[in-house]
Amino acid sequence: MSKQLTFLMCSPRGDKSASHTIGSYVVSLFEEKNIVVKTFEVYKTLRKQERIEEMIKSIDECDIILLSSPLYIDQAPYMTIKLMDIISETFKQSKIQNKTRHLFAISNAGFLEYYHNNLALKIYEQFAIQNELIWAGGLPIGAAGTYATYPIPESLKMLAQLPEDDHRQEIYHKPTKILDSVIKTSVDHLSKGEIVPKDELQKLEFIPMPLEAYVEGGKKGWLEAAEELGTADKLRDKPYER
Amino acid sequence: MSYIILNGMSSDDEFIPKVNQIISEEFQQKDIRGDTIILHDKEIKPCLGCFKCWVQTPGICIIDDFGRETAKKMIQSDILVYLTPITYGGYSAELKKAVDRSLGLISPFFRVHENEIHHEMRYDKYPNLVVVGILDKPNPNQEEIFTTLVKRNVLNLFCPKYSTQVIYADDDEITIKKKIEESLREVGA
Ligand SMILES: Cc1cc2nc3c(=O)[nH]c(=O)nc-3n(C[C@H](O)[C@H](O)[C@H](O)COP(=O)(O)O)c2cc1C
């Protein structure tokens, strides 16, 4: 019988999110290996009891749980914690059969440095331990917004067209290639029922550009967005100042 | 001086209300005024991740519910207390639902702080933070995650002073009081 995977997509930003775009790419690689995938957009799923029950059934039957979530204030957002609570409660009530299941997580941070995700991943690991899931590891994604718009294969095609001496080779192309390779190796291991080796995941532990460059890039981005809304002179307002 | 306690317990918790009571009494004894928000009683919708609190209505969440009021109370207090069952090492869903909605208290702009990227401050003054986590029994892994999490939060939320405390469900009243006194002392109360 084919293996099954439950994909829990935990961003409220739907298909505009890094959680969706990276997670869906990972899912497509599992599907190429004939693993059957059921996807749940957690913000929608948790609104309806029927959908929650479908999700629990899928978890009950699956071999791999893939959780892809944003990082909010150094840890999982409210909805991801709520999701873990619902799943834990179901395990506690023994409504889920005993079987070997791996949990693999993707944590998506806005800051440049991958390690802002470390605590969130440790929290997912604790969730796994509490529910007797096998912790298979996680991807700590920094500057996740970079991966939100285009699926990784499309980004790689576009980036491959850059001249060799273009500075974006180093700050975008190289990190995307490394991420792609880590994802592919992770899927290989997980689909064989193995955890992802730590040294593979550690390949994501690098900072692709000077911090100051990212700070400046961010500033430009927010100012452009605000200019469109006519709020550029209000971004530093203090509405709740005493 | 003023305080606000964000109580992130679930509705059937029987122990955390006692801890909440002890914290409130400690503040009263020190003549520090404030309030508790029992978060599960409040209508606070989840953050939409839309960043409109940064670019559209700077400093104010676009969702008009008690989440806005909570963020305002947080920034206007001198001492902010998070009271939460330790959940997989982190905060409870109930507490996190309010904390996520406080994103507008910081500026969208980044800065390099202690050799890492963080945000710029929006306000000139931020509250000191006391975080009280509740566990059934000691759990070194989760306690370490929790303590580190508070440290990381403090970096992102600019709290000048902070204290983290873990209380076990079998701690007696005297022990709980001592722990709370210690934390309040650490934040200068
Ligand atoms: C409420 C809130 C809190 C956030 N806190 C952090 C944070 O602590 N560290 C960080 O690196 N990014 C933080 N971010 C940025 C998100 O992690 C980033 O936008 C990421 O791309 C979200 O994932 P998504 O695209 O899948 O929604 C925060 C965003 C929001 C809305």
Side-chain angles (χ1 to χ4, degrees):
Chain A
M1 220 174 78
S2 327
K3 283 199 177 188
Q4 299 194 31
L5 180 145
T6 304
F7 174 33
L8 304 172
M9 202 299 278
C10 302
S11 174
R13 296 175 65 82
D15 57 13
K16 284 189 281 183
S17 67
S19 304
H20 163 86
T21 308
I22 300 174
S24 301
Y25 174 53
V26 176
V27 156
S28 71
L29 296 175
F30 278 112
E31 283 172 332
E32 281 174 18
K33 293 184 183 293
N34 295 322
I35 290 179
V36 178
V37 176
K38 288 214 172 104
T39 297
F40 295 88
E41 272 202 50
V42 168
Y43 276 73
K44 292 184 184 155
T45 304
L46 298 196
R47 274 191 227 134
K48 280 204 177 137
Q49 191 54 34
E50 262 172 33
R51 275 301 270 167
I52 295 177
E53 277 159 26
E54 272 176 52
M55 176 186 76
I56 295 296
K57 184 166 177 281
S58 170
I59 290 173
D60 187 26
E61 291 166 357
C62 79
D63 307 279
I64 304 164
I65 300 172
L66 172 66
L67 182 149
S68 186
S69 175
L71 182 78
Y72 282 5
I73 321 209
D74 305 303
Q75 57 175 319
Y78 156 72
M79 209 50 113
T80 310
I81 307 173
K82 181 95 192 149
L83 167 77
M84 292 192 287
D85 285 348
I86 291 173
I87 298 173
S88 300
E89 188 54 35
T90 321
F91 271 104
K92 209 162 120 193
Q93 293 170 1
S94 308
K95 287 189 188 155
I96 294 184
Q97 58 179 320
N98 271 340
K99 122 176 214 192
T100 305
R101 281 184 203 87
H102 286 83
L103 173 69
F104 188 67
I106 308 171
S107 181
N108 300 286
F111 289 148
L112 177 66
E113 307 99 320
Y114 65 89
Y115 58 74
H116 290 280
N117 294 296
N118 287 356
L119 279 174
L121 291 174
K122 283 189 178 168
I123 287 172
Y124 301 140
E125 180 179 6
Q126 290 300 313
F127 162 72
I129 292 170
Q130 186 167 319
N131 293 301
E132 293 180 20
L133 302 168
I134 299 170
W135 175 241
L139 306 175
I141 313 280
T146 324
Y147 304 104
T149 315
Y150 300 105
I152 287 172
E154 265 185 57
S155 293
L156 284 174
K157 260 190 221 153
M158 289 189 284
L159 291 165
Q161 286 164 18
L162 293 172
E164 269 192 20
D165 57 352
D166 190 301
H167 75 291
R168 286 169 292 180
Q169 287 284 3
E170 192 62 24
I171 61 178
Y172 295 126
H173 198 186
K174 194 169 142 197
T176 310
K177 277 199 273 190
I178 297 172
L179 176 59
D180 189 44
S181 148
V182 172
I183 286 177
K184 284 178 173 150
T185 313
S186 302
V187 170
D188 281 344
H189 283 286
L190 289 161
S191 54
K192 283 189 249 164
E194 297 164 2
I195 66 166
V196 183
K198 280 207 175 96
D199 57 355
E200 186 59 30
L201 298 170
Q202 278 163 356
K203 291 182 183 161
L204 295 176
E205 296 184 358
F206 62 90
I207 295 168
M209 66 173 94
L211 303 185
E212 289 75 13
Y214 197 72
V215 168
E216 279 312 304
K219 188 172 189 177
K220 212 171 134 227
W222 293 122
L223 281 172
E224 276 169 13
E227 257 152 35
E228 267 181 34
L229 294 163
T231 55
D233 59 338
K234 296 193 168 62
L235 294 192
R236 294 179 201 275
D237 278 5
K238 301 174 173 143
Y240 299 145
E241 187 151 73
R242 270 190 282 183
Chain B
M1 248 201 222
S2 68
Y3 74 86
I4 185 80
I5 302 172
L6 302 190
N7 181 330
M9 70 182 187
S10 59
S11 51
D12 57 355
D13 199 304
E14 289 177 1
F15 179 68
I16 293 184
K18 291 181 202 152
V19 180
N20 197 147
Q21 177 74 19
I22 293 173
I23 303 173
S24 306
E25 284 167 7
E26 287 298 321
F27 277 123
Q28 245 168 26
Q29 274 181 21
K30 293 178 188 292
D31 218 11
I32 299 173
R33 283 154 195 248
D35 244 325
T36 293
I37 302 175
I38 307 282
L39 291 163
H40 69 74
D41 277 350
K42 300 291 180 192
E43 161 96 12
I44 299 179
K45 295 209 173 73
C47 169
L48 298 168
C50 64
F51 300 113
K52 289 186 178 163
C53 61
W54 279 350
V55 289
Q56 188 166 314
T57 50
I60 302 176
C61 177
I62 54 152
I63 307 171
D64 186 6
D65 65 7
F66 201 77
R68 268 193 194 170
E69 190 61 24
T70 308
K72 183 175 173 186
K73 284 179 192 273
M74 286 166 76
I75 192 68
Q76 294 191 342
S77 65
D78 298 298
I79 302 173
L80 170 62
V81 181
Y82 293 165
L83 174 58
T84 177
I86 297 182
T87 309
Y88 324 109
Y91 300 162
S92 69
E94 286 300 332
L95 174 61
K96 197 63 197 336
K97 133 182 127 174
V99 172
D100 288 350
R101 291 282 304 281
S102 70
L103 185 71
L105 298 181
I106 59 181
S107 152
F109 298 117
F110 296 144
R111 63 173 180 159
V112 178
H113 175 64
E114 297 188 2
N115 215 18
E116 295 182 352
I117 295 185
H118 291 284
H119 287 276
E120 285 183 11
M121 295 164 102
R122 178 180 297 281
Y123 293 94
D124 302 327
K125 187 177 168 287
Y126 284 79
N128 291 326
L129 181 66
V130 174
V131 183
V132 181
I134 311 294
L135 271 179
D136 279 347
K137 53 180 190 295
N139 182 328
N141 286 336
Q142 293 205 7
E143 287 173 43
E144 196 193 325
I145 295 170
F146 190 72
T147 312
T148 316
L149 175 60
V150 178
K151 266 193 215 154
R152 302 298 299 169
N153 275 187
V154 164
L155 274 176
N156 280 328
L157 295 171
F158 320 106
C159 310
K161 291 183 189 159
Y162 74 98
S163 174
T164 314
Q165 207 58 254
V166 176
I167 289 174
Y168 305 115
D170 59 0
D171 278 352
D172 58 26
E173 203 173 315
I174 296 170
T175 311
I176 299 172
K177 266 192 178 161
K178 269 196 192 145
K179 287 183 176 179
I180 299 300
E181 274 169 13
E182 182 187 85
S183 273
L184 296 194
R185 214 178 311 120
E186 280 173 10
V187 299

